[in-house]
Structure formats: structure tokens, C-alpha cells
């Protein structure tokens, strides 16, 4: 008996699922070159096979009588097929299990945890250490449940997050004993947690605060410090650390869920955070007990996004931006200028005068009104400009109660106007600018023969990783600045000139879904507006310390700023408002920057158009969908046809996948060099897939910017990124103009100011350079002969 099974391509780096099988052998074929084929058996363990070059099939032996899951990771987004030879083959549909949680019947896929089942049934279960993006550990012990039927622990309470759901289970979550257990555990945590909720940046969105309220946990008579003074005096740990340009650490707030440690390890592959001391002294600290800025930390913010409290936060800019908007009147200018004519005094109540009809204003009266308005505007110290990233219009909605995937662009602009910004622009404008510059840079490299592959440079966490971990890749980074920094440079030069203000009087605020953007904005080599002003014979307007982007707010911080406003802003009820001009027109391609693969797809749209033969009308037809680079897979590689010229590209998102892709490319290129030198070398389908790649998009967060660490936190919704990505692609399809080089305001910018793509002025303002940054951690790691005690002693002295 022979059966055929089809399964969609599995997410790279994630276990796939085709169906439960019982067979003695299986012949697996794939439409594209396989990277790996794996079978995971419930009883026997795991078997991993790698294929020879160009192998389209492989046979594997499946232990008889075991349940086996077959999965493949293909380098092409195609279907794979498995032929199974067995007279006792089971159903090919995914198995499900049925159980009861607090009297509610629920069915979930096999392999789901009891916690998953409870949440599917709509049953609340407390937790602190659990996060849907991390492997469950059960360390907080808050999700204990009683299983009165089919209990694998033989009657004892079990942790729901780490216990697989099974058929026939009857689960209870709210017995008096369990509720008291949670209360006591939270109370013990509260005895080591500072009581400063009112001024905490996590106030209102803190998981620990929610537990305190839900279980009515009383305030303890005293609070012991989480980081004991002895640990600080010995240099083992730090209670607070503000050395990073993007992150603040306050481990007195820590609840020891260890989600930050696991996120840094499992998701990002950086291993910057760990646990020091033992027992009651146990705390989280950076590697080697260094200050965070002395480590290889890339400021990705995965630790921030996973933290349930405010032990690790982005550098708070809310108060700075609020003061900028509220204290923007130049008192000296007010004293030195003649005030506008005073309005006539109202009539005395003793001698009321009849109300006359409002006279029609003459041209002279209108001129007076305009003069008064100019007078008021002249009193401003600064012109305040704000830019919003593409992902913000999608993710900000969640902070105001809208479901994930809701796009509220018009309400976002209205809210920013209401809180006081003079101009609201779209970062998508400079995303279009980035694509034009990057596409021309890629074409120039193709013409000159490299260096390859060319890596995108719009993710600052990835740039940090290159400078700190892979400095040998610096020549491969695109010299283009990120859209945020391009906007700052254009706003303080081109736009400042248009409104008649010096660059120093234009304050640029960014709203980003990314924590690392705070790090990026502070970098010295990205301050180009000041040097440009100096070279344009405007020394009085040049300020060497002037930043191109003055403040960066994360999406979460903007939500806080809007909620602080009085009168209250009802975000969902706000009318739609358009972005201001001339930095507000955008294309669908720019919106794609919000999702992984979007930068690549936007660049391919322009590259496909620019390289089209002028005489061939069919070839000149726009290609607007590049499905090969879409999706949430951790690593994707494909070959795109540019009118007969194959272009091999790759995409990676999330730090661990980024590092894996770098290692694969390096191994493939190294193997190719060995083949060239010796005529041999070790081959393989995996090696072949990653040879000759010319263009690579790297994003440090899973899903790209829609999964950025500055977005509203959600430790529940497992389909969060899929919903956000769908909103990004929907917005692109609704755009009339969908290729960056067709942006009319962008064309005007080149005509009036920049000249042409990759011009000398464009390079001065829109491009940058990178440099190796060897951290103290790297130096310590190179000293392999040092013992841990010697490393600590060296650190202390």
C-alpha cells in the first residue's frame, strides 16, 4: 500500500508537521534542493539527514510502531511530497486531542500544552516565566493546575506550560488551594519588588501588577532589595545600569522569570545576559558582570520585549519630548518683539450693546491676521517635526484596544498633531529614498564585481552585530543610512531651507517600533546635517554636536504620551488626517519595510524596473509581487530573474537566524575557495544553496519591524505577527504607486536638491561608513587562558 502526503514548506528553523505516520520506510522527494530532512520520533529521539548536491530524494528508515513526524526545510517556496510504503499507514491528518478545562471542552493539536488548551478555551491561567516565543520552563510555578483524570504526575499539581495536553484530561485551574498558592507566590515576589508603580514606565501594562490586582495581594510591611549591596560592592552584579545608549537596566524590579536571559540566548543567539550568585542572592547580570555597553549587546531589545515588568526598558524619551512640545516659547524673543495689536475690550455689562453682524474681512484685515499668526510662530524656539515608521501605523492600534492587524494611519497623524507637533511626516518617504539609493548601489556593485554579498543596513541591531561580532563583513554592508537617519538629514537641510529655519532650530522626533533606533540616532558618524551646513558656508548654522534625529520614541512610548494628554484623546474616534508635504508622499514598496523581506521586495521592484530593456514592452511590465522573499521563515534564499540575469538573494530575521545565515554563507564561500584551490572540497546541497548570493536582507527581530521590541507587548497571541504582516501587505496593495522610484515628491527632491541617485551630495547626506567596535567582552573572550576568577579580578581593577 502506498500513500502520498503533501505538506507546505516548513518555517526554517522551526519543527514542521506533515502528519503522524507508522511505516517501516519512507521515500521523501522535494521540488527544490533540500537543506535538511528530519524525523522526530516520540520514542526513539531525533534523526537528521543532509543531502548530497542536487539530490531530490532521500530514503529514511522509520522505526516500526513509532509515531513519526516528517518535516523538510526547502530552499525554494514549493511543495514537498512523501511516498509512504506501509500496510498499516495511519491517517495523514494532524492529530488533535480533546480535554476539559474547568468544565469547558476544548480540542487542540497534538503537542500543545495544557496552558495552550486553557487559553484556547478562554480560561485564564497566571504566569510570569511563560512567553509564546520561548521554550517553556515552568520556573515561576504560577501556572500550576490540578489534573483529576489522566494526570502524568499521579495526582500532584503540574505546571501547565510544560505539560503536554492529552486525550481525556480533566483540568482544574481555580481550586482554593491553587488560588492561595498563586497569592502566596506573588506576595513573596512583592516583598522583593519596589513599590513605585505610579512612576514606572510599565504602569498599566505590567504583568506583575496585573497579578497583584487579580489576586488582591496586600502590600508587604517591608521590601528587601533584589540585588543585595554585597553583590554590587564585590562587582558581581549591578542594581542599575544606564551605560547602553538604548537600554536601561533596573534589576531591583526583576521577578526572576528569566525571560530576558532565554530571549537573548534562544531568539538572538547573543548570550549577553545570565544568572549570577545562588539561592536567595540569585540575580540577572550581563556576561562577565560587565556594564551592558561593554558587552557585545546589539541593542536589539529582545530582552525588553520579553520582560513582564520594567527590569529592562528602552531609554525613556517621553518626558524629553513632552517638554520639547510644551516649553517651546522663546521668552527672550517675546520680550524683544512688538506684540500684536490687542483685541478691543468687551462691552460693559451695565451698557450692553446690540450684537452687530460679523463684518466681512477686508484684504488688509486678513493681512493683519496672517501677521499675528507669523508673530506667534516666530516665538517658537524650534520647529518640531515627527516621522513615523511603517510598522507603527499597524502596531500602535493594539495599545488602544484594537485587534492586531488594525491599520490606523489617519488617526496616528491626528494624534500627533493634537499633542503639538508642527509637521507630521512619513518615514516611508525616506524608505523610498533608501530603496533608490540602495538599488543603484547594488547595480554599481554588480557592474564592478563586488564586494558580495551586499547586506542591507537599515536594521541598526544588525549593523551593531557586524561591527562587534563580524567586523570582517563591514565592506559588505550597504553604505546607505537607514530611512530614519536619511529623514533626519533631509529634514535638517532640504526641509529646513524650505521653511527658512537653520538646521539647529528644527527638532526631529522619530516614532519607531525598534529599540536599537535610539542607539542609531546617537551615533557620531550619522550626524551629517551639521557637516553639510559647514561645507555650505553656513558656519553660524553648524553645530558639531547636533544630531540628525534628536529623539526616538518607541511605539509603546508614543502610546504613553498620547494617553498622558489632556483633554483626553480618544484614539479610535479621531478623524483621518493626511501626512504633511513635501516629505509625506509614499509608495506601497516603502510600506513593505515593516515586514521581513519587505526591504528586499521593494529593492527588487525597482531593480526589475531599472534593468528592463527599453525596447521590450513585455519586459518593462512592472513585477509587484515577489512571493519568494515573503513569509515569517527565519531564513529564505532564492534566485530572482532580472530579465535574463539571475540574482541570488537571501533574507533572515531574528538574531539567531541572522547569525546562522552568516555562518552558512561564510561556509559556502570558504568551501568554494577550497574547491578553486584544490579542485575538491566538501560539497552539499546546503553549501550549493548559499553560494554566490549577491544581496541579503538582515533584520534582528522576528518578522522584521512588525516584531520590533518597541511595539506593544503581547505574551498571549500566537498569531500576532501573521496578523500584523497581513495588514502591511494589504496596505501595499491599496496604494496606487507601488514602486519607490515612481514617488513624485522623491523625484522633486532629486531635481531640487540631491541631483541624482548616488551623487556626491547624496553620499554626503544619505550614506555613511562603519568601523570595528571591539568590546570588553570580546577582549575577555580572546583571553582563553583566563579563569573566571581572573576575569572578574581584571574587571574589578
Amino acid at each position: 500500500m502506498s500513500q502520498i502526503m503533501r505538506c507546505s514548506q516548513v518555517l526554517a528553523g522551526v519543527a514542521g508537521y506533515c502528519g503522524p505516520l507508522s511505516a517501516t520506510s519512507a521515500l521523501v522527494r522535494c521540488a527544490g534542493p533540500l537543506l535538511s530532512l528530519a524525523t522526530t520520533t516520540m520514542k526513539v529521539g531525533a534523526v537528521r539527514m543532509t543531502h548530497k548536491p542536487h539530490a531530490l530524494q532521500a530514503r529514511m528508515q522509520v522505526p516500526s510502531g513509532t509515531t513519526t513526524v516528517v518535516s523538510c526545510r526547502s530552499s525554494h517556496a514549493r511543495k514537498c511530497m512523501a511516498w509512504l510504503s506501509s500496510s498499516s499507514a495511519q491517517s495523514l491528518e494532524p492529530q488533535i486531542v480533546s480535554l476539559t478545562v474547568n468544565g469547558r471542552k476544548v480540542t487542540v493539536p497534538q503537542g500543545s500544552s495544557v496552558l495552550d488548551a486553557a487559553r484556547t478555551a478562554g480560561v485564564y491561567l497566571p504566569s510570569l516565566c511563560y512567553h509564546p516565543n520561548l521554550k517553556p520552563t515552568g520556573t515561576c510555578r504560577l501556572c500550576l493546575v490540578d489534573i483529576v483524570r489522566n494526570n502524568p504526575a499521579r495526582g500532584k499539581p503540574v505546571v501547565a506550560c510544560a505539560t503536554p495536553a492529552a486525550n481525556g484530561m480533566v483540568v482544574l485551574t481555580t481550586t482554593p488551594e491553587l488560588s492561595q498558592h498563586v497569592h502566596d507566590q506573588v506576595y513573596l515576589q512583592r516583598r522583593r519588588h519596589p513599590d513605585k508603580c505610579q512612576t514606572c514606565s510599565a504602569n498599566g501594562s505590567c504583568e506583575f501588577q496585573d497579578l497583584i490586582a487579580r489576586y488582591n495581594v496586600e502590600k508587604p510591611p517591608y521590601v528587601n532589595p533584589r540585588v543585595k549591596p554585597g553583590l554590587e560592592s564585590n562587582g558581581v552584579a549591578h542594581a542599575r545600569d544606564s551605560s547602553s545608549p538604548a537600554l536601561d537596566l533596573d534589576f531591583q524590579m526583576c521577578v526572576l522569570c528569566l525571560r530576558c536571559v532565554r530571549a537573548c540566548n534562544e531568539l538572538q543567539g547573543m548570550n549577553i545576559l545570565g544568572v549570577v550568585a545562588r539561592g536567595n542572592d540569585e540575580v540577572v547580570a550581563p556576561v562577565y558582570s560587565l556594564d551592558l555597553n561593554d558587552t557585545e549587546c546589539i541593542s536589539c531589545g529582545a530582552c525588553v520585549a520579553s520582560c513582564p515588568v520594567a527590569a529592562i526598558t528602552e531609554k525613556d524619551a517621553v518626558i524629553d519630548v513632552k517638554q520639547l512640545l510644551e516649553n517651546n516659547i522663546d521668552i527672550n524673543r517675546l520680550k524683544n518683539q512688538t506684540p500684536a495689536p490687542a483685541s478691543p475690550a468687551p462691552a460693559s455689562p451695565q451698557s450692553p450693546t446690540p450684537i452687530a453682524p460679523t463684518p466681512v474681512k477686508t484684504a488688509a484685515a486678513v493681512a493683519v491676521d496672517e501677521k499675528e499668526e507669523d508673530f506667534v510662530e516666530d516665538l517658537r524656539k524650534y520647529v518640531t517635526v515627527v516621522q513615523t515608521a511603517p510598522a507603527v501605523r499597524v502596531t500602535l492600534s493594539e495599545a488602544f484596544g484594537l485587534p492586531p492587524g488594525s491599520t490606523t494611519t489617519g488617526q496616528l497623524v491626528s494624534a500627533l498633531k493634537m499633542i503639538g507637533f508642527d509637521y507630521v511626516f512619513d518615514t516611508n518617504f525616506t524608505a523610498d529614498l533608501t530603496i533608490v539609493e540602495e538599488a543603484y548601489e547594488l547595480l554599481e556593485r554588480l557592474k564592478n564585481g563586488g564586494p558580495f554579498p551586499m547586506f542591507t543596513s537599515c536594521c541598526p541591531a544588525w549593523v551593531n552585530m557586524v561591527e562587534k561580532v563580524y567586523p570582517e563583513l563591514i565592506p559588505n554592508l550597504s553604505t546607505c543610512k537607514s530611512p530614519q537617519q536619511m529623514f533626519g538629514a533631509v529634514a535638517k537641510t532640504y526641509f529646513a531651507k524650505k521653511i527658512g529655519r537653520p538646521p539647529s532650530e528644527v527638532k526631529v522626533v522619530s516614532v519607531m517600533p525598534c529599540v536599537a533606533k535610539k542607539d542609531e540616532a546617537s551615533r557620531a558618524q550619522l550626524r551629517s546635517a551639521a557637516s553639510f551646513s559647514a561645507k555650505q558656508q553656513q558656519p553660524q548654522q553648524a553645530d558639531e554636536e547636533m544630531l540628525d534625529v534628536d529623539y526616538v520614541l518607541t511605539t509603546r512610548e508614543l502610546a504613553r504620551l498620547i494617553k498622558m494628554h489632556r483633554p483626553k484623546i480618544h484614539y479610535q474616534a479621531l478623524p483621518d488626517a493626511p501626512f504633511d508635504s513635501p516629505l509625506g508622499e509614499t509608495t506601497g514598496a516603502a510600506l513593505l519595510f515593516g515586514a521581513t523581506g519587505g526591504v528586499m521586495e521593494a529593492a527588487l521592484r525597482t531593480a526589475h524596473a531599472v534593468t528592463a530593456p527599453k525596447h521590450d514592452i513585455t519586459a518593462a511590465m512592472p513585477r509587484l509581487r515577489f512571493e519568494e522573499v515573503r513569509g515569517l521563515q527565519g531564513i529564505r534564499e532564492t534566485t530572482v530573474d532580472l530579465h535574463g540575469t539571475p540574482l541570488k538573494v537571501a533574507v533572515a530575521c531574528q538574531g539567531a537566524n541572522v547569525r546562522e545565515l552568516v555562518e552558512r554563507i561564510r561556509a559556502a564561500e570558504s568551501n568554494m575557495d577550497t574547491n578553486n584551490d584544490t579542485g575538491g572540497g566538501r560539497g552539499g546541497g546546503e553549501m550549493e544553496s548559499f553560494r554566490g548570493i549577491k544581496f541579503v536582507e538582515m533584520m534582528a527581530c522576528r518578522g522584521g519591524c512588525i516584531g520590533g521590541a518597541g511595539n506593544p507587548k503581547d505574551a498571549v497571541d500566537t498569531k500576532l505577527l501573521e496578523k500584523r504582516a497581513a495588514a502591511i501587505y494589504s496596505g501595499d496593495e491599496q496604494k496606487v504607486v507601488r514602486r519607490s522610484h515612481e514617488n513624485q515628491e522623491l523625484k522633486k527632491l532629486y531635481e531640487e536638491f540631491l541631483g541624482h541617485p548616488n551623487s556626491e551630495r547624496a553620499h554626503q547626506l544619505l550614506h555613511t561608513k562603519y568601523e570595528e567596535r571591539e568590546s570588553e567582552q570580546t577582549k575577555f573572550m580572546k583571553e582563553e587562558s583566563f579563569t573566571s576568577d581572573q576575569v572578574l579580578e581584571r574587571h574589578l581593577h
Side-chain angles (χ1 to χ4, degrees):
M1 177 181 174
S2 169
Q3 294 194 29
I4 185 172
M5 173 182 62
R6 299 176 184 270
C7 69
S8 298
Q9 182 193 12
V10 177
L11 302 183
V14 180
Y17 188 83
C18 293
L21 315 170
S22 288
T24 56
S25 68
L27 179 65
V28 179
R29 295 184 181 180
C30 186
L34 291 174
L35 301 184
S36 66
L37 178 73
T39 68
T40 305
T41 60
M42 300 297 290
K43 297 181 181 179
V44 185
V47 180
R48 183 179 179 87
M49 298 174 60
T50 56
H51 301 279
K52 297 179 180 180
H54 310 296
L56 296 180
Q57 66 181 34
R59 184 176 296 277
M60 60 187 177
Q61 295 299 319
V62 181
S64 178
T66 62
T67 300
T68 304
V69 176
V70 180
S71 65
C72 80
R73 290 194 290 177
S74 169
S75 60
H76 293 289
R78 301 177 182 174
K79 301 283 185 177
C80 64
M81 298 176 287
W83 279 265
L84 311 172
S85 300
S86 172
S87 59
S88 60
Q90 300 176 0
S91 169
L92 300 181
E93 294 297 324
Q95 285 187 339
I96 59 174
V97 297
S98 299
L99 63 158
T100 303
V101 182
N102 288 359
R104 303 182 189 183
K105 292 184 178 180
V106 60
T107 58
V108 293
Q110 190 176 42
S112 300
S113 68
V114 173
L115 178 62
D116 295 330
R119 290 184 171 175
T120 301
V123 173
Y124 173 83
L125 262 181
S127 67
L128 276 178
C129 68
Y130 173 80
H131 194 283
N133 295 337
L134 302 171
K135 297 175 184 176
T137 60
T139 54
C140 72
R141 316 303 290 178
L142 294 181
C143 65
L144 286 181
V145 296
D146 280 333
I147 301 178
V148 297
R149 186 181 299 169
N150 289 354
N151 188 340
R154 299 182 179 181
K156 297 179 181 179
V158 298
V159 284
C161 65
T163 303
N167 272 317
M169 275 186 171
V170 176
V171 181
L172 299 177
T173 70
T174 54
T175 64
E177 293 79 11
L178 291 176
S179 297
Q180 186 62 43
H181 164 77
V182 175
H183 175 278
D184 294 345
Q185 291 293 314
V186 175
Y187 179 78
L188 290 174
Q189 286 278 16
R190 194 171 182 187
R191 287 184 60 174
R192 300 194 67 176
H193 191 83
D195 186 19
K196 55 177 185 180
C197 292
Q198 289 77 10
T199 57
C200 177
S201 62
N203 186 26
S205 59
C206 172
E207 295 179 40
F208 187 61
Q209 188 182 46
D210 292 343
L211 288 168
I212 292 172
R214 187 179 185 95
Y215 290 92
N216 195 27
V217 179
E218 62 275 15
K219 182 179 178 180
Y222 59 89
V223 174
N224 289 324
R226 171 69 65 185
V227 182
K228 295 185 177 180
L231 295 178
E232 282 209 85
S233 61
N234 293 330
V236 175
H238 303 291
R240 294 177 181 83
D241 183 349
S242 299
S243 62
S244 166
L247 307 175
D248 279 335
L249 311 183
D250 185 355
F251 287 126
Q252 298 292 18
M253 307 288 287
C254 182
V255 291
L256 279 182
C257 66
L258 303 187
R259 277 160 44 169
C260 59
V261 177
R262 290 148 55 206
C264 191
N265 178 10
E266 297 174 21
L267 305 183
Q268 301 305 96
M270 295 304 298
N271 298 297
I272 302 299
L273 298 174
V275 178
V276 298
R278 292 292 181 268
N280 200 39
D281 292 344
E282 185 177 79
V283 291
V284 175
V287 62
Y288 295 133
S289 300
L290 292 167
D291 288 340
L292 190 60
N293 202 41
D294 291 332
T295 70
E296 290 180 351
C297 174
I298 59 175
S299 301
C300 65
C303 53
V304 178
S306 62
C307 181
V309 289
I312 307 179
T313 61
E314 64 268 40
K315 283 233 181 271
D316 199 329
V318 171
I319 300 302
D320 291 335
V321 173
K322 185 175 74 70
Q323 290 178 348
L324 170 68
L325 297 174
E326 294 178 353
N327 302 318
N328 197 22
I329 299 298
D330 191 332
I331 303 300
N332 293 328
R333 192 177 297 175
L334 175 63
K335 292 178 179 179
N336 295 333
Q337 287 191 7
T338 304
S343 302
S348 170
Q350 285 79 10
S351 56
T353 55
I355 300 175
T358 304
V360 177
K361 289 189 177 182
T362 63
V366 171
V368 169
D369 288 347
E370 291 179 351
K371 186 174 181 181
E372 290 180 8
E373 184 177 345
D374 292 342
F375 174 79
V376 173
E377 290 183 355
D378 286 342
L379 295 180
R380 294 175 301 178
K381 298 176 187 175
Y382 309 108
V383 174
T384 55
V385 173
V386 63
Q387 57 165 319
T388 64
V392 175
R393 69 208 65 201
V394 175
T395 59
L396 181 65
S397 313
E398 299 163 24
F400 295 95
L402 292 170
S406 301
T407 303
T408 53
T409 309
Q411 289 93 328
L412 169 62
V413 176
S414 291
L416 290 169
K417 288 283 189 179
M418 288 185 68
I419 61 179
F421 285 103
D422 298 316
Y423 294 92
V424 180
F425 292 128
D426 197 345
T427 312
N428 285 4
F429 176 83
T430 41
D432 282 330
L433 183 59
T434 301
I435 286 302
V436 172
E437 291 291 320
E438 203 164 56
Y440 276 87
E441 181 185 2
L442 176 61
L443 294 175
E444 188 69 21
R445 291 197 188 201
L446 290 171
K447 179 181 176 182
N448 297 331
F452 292 119
M454 185 178 93
F455 293 102
T456 58
S457 55
C458 52
C459 174
W462 157 242
V463 172
N464 287 341
M465 185 185 290
V466 171
E467 292 184 324
K468 290 185 174 184
V469 183
Y470 301 112
E472 67 276 11
L473 296 181
I474 287 177
N476 296 76
L477 276 176
S478 167
T479 61
C480 291
K481 293 181 181 179
S482 72
Q484 170 184 268
Q485 295 305 130
M486 283 194 182
F487 181 91
V490 171
K492 292 200 174 185
T493 53
Y494 173 70
F495 178 69
K497 185 176 181 181
K498 274 188 170 294
I499 62 173
R501 287 276 194 153
S504 58
E505 292 185 9
V506 176
K507 291 293 183 181
V508 176
V509 177
S510 295
V511 182
M512 295 285 146
C514 172
V515 171
K517 289 294 180 183
K518 292 175 179 279
D519 182 337
E520 180 183 67
S522 67
R523 297 184 60 143
Q525 61 265 51
L526 297 178
R527 302 176 185 179
S528 55
S531 60
F532 177 83
S533 298
K535 290 182 179 180
Q536 295 297 312
Q537 289 79 44
Q538 298 172 325
Q540 71 282 1
Q541 298 181 9
D543 179 2
E544 293 182 1
E545 299 300 319
M546 181 179 68
L547 299 172
D548 285 2
V549 175
D550 298 282
Y551 303 102
V552 178
L553 293 173
T554 61
T555 312
R556 283 193 302 271
E557 287 179 296
L558 176 60
R560 285 171 50 207
L561 188 61
I562 293 173
K563 291 175 181 178
M564 289 168 62
H565 191 271
R566 293 295 180 271
K568 186 176 181 179
I569 295 176
H570 298 278
Y571 185 80
Q572 299 180 36
L574 289 176
D576 286 351
F579 286 105
D580 290 317
S581 185
L583 308 179
E585 181 181 330
T586 64
T587 69
L591 186 58
L592 295 180
F593 270 60
T596 175
V599 177
M600 176 66 69
E601 182 167 357
L604 290 176
R605 288 181 185 180
T606 291
H608 187 271
V610 171
T611 57
K614 296 182 179 179
H615 61 278
D616 190 342
I617 299 177
T618 304
M621 292 294 290
R623 183 182 173 187
L624 299 177
R625 292 181 68 89
F626 290 82
E627 296 287 349
E628 309 96 311
V629 298
R630 293 190 179 186
L632 296 175
Q633 297 96 323
I635 298 176
R636 287 149 281 162
E637 65 85 18
T638 188
T639 300
V640 177
D641 179 24
L642 295 182
H643 310 289
T645 301
L647 179 67
K648 205 166 188 178
V649 300
V651 176
C653 65
Q654 191 167 292
N657 296 320
V658 165
R659 300 195 70 164
E660 182 180 350
L661 179 56
V662 168
E663 296 303 329
R664 288 185 185 182
I665 292 175
R666 293 169 69 177
E669 296 299 329
S670 174
N671 189 66
M672 184 166 61
D673 292 341
T674 302
N675 288 341
N676 292 338
D677 293 340
T678 66
R682 186 175 55 185
E686 183 170 348
M687 291 289 187
E688 188 68 26
S689 299
F690 292 93
R691 285 179 184 162
I693 290 178
K694 294 294 189 290
F695 189 30
V696 183
E697 177 200 306
M698 296 292 209
M699 293 287 176
C701 295
R702 180 170 178 257
C705 296
I706 54 171
N711 288 315
K713 298 182 183 181
D714 192 325
V716 177
D717 195 335
T718 57
K719 298 293 183 182
L720 184 68
L721 295 184
E722 287 87 342
K723 297 171 185 176
R724 290 174 176 176
I728 292 291
Y729 289 120
S730 175
D732 163 49
E733 292 174 357
Q734 293 171 21
K735 283 283 191 178
V736 176
V737 181
R738 298 178 63 188
R739 297 191 295 185
S740 296
H741 62 282
E742 295 173 344
N743 184 323
Q744 294 305 310
E745 286 191 357
L746 194 63
K747 291 181 179 180
K748 191 174 181 181
L749 173 65
Y750 276 109
E751 291 170 2
E752 295 181 354
F753 187 63
L754 294 176
H756 57 82
N758 280 6
S759 66
E760 182 181 351
R761 178 170 289 186
H763 264 275
Q764 185 179 353
L765 288 173
L766 310 180
H767 294 250
T768 187
K769 59 183 179 180
Y770 312 98
E771 57 189 20
E772 180 179 357
R773 291 188 288 160
E774 187 178 49
S775 66
E776 289 298 313
Q777 176 188 345
T778 307
K779 295 176 183 177
F780 286 169
M781 291 169 66
K782 288 180 178 178
E783 299 286 351
E784 295 181 348
S785 60
F786 273 23
T787 65
S788 57
D789 290 339
Q790 289 172 323
V791 168
L792 179 59
E793 183 179 357
R794 177 174 175 176
H795 166 62
L796 292 176
H797 295 91

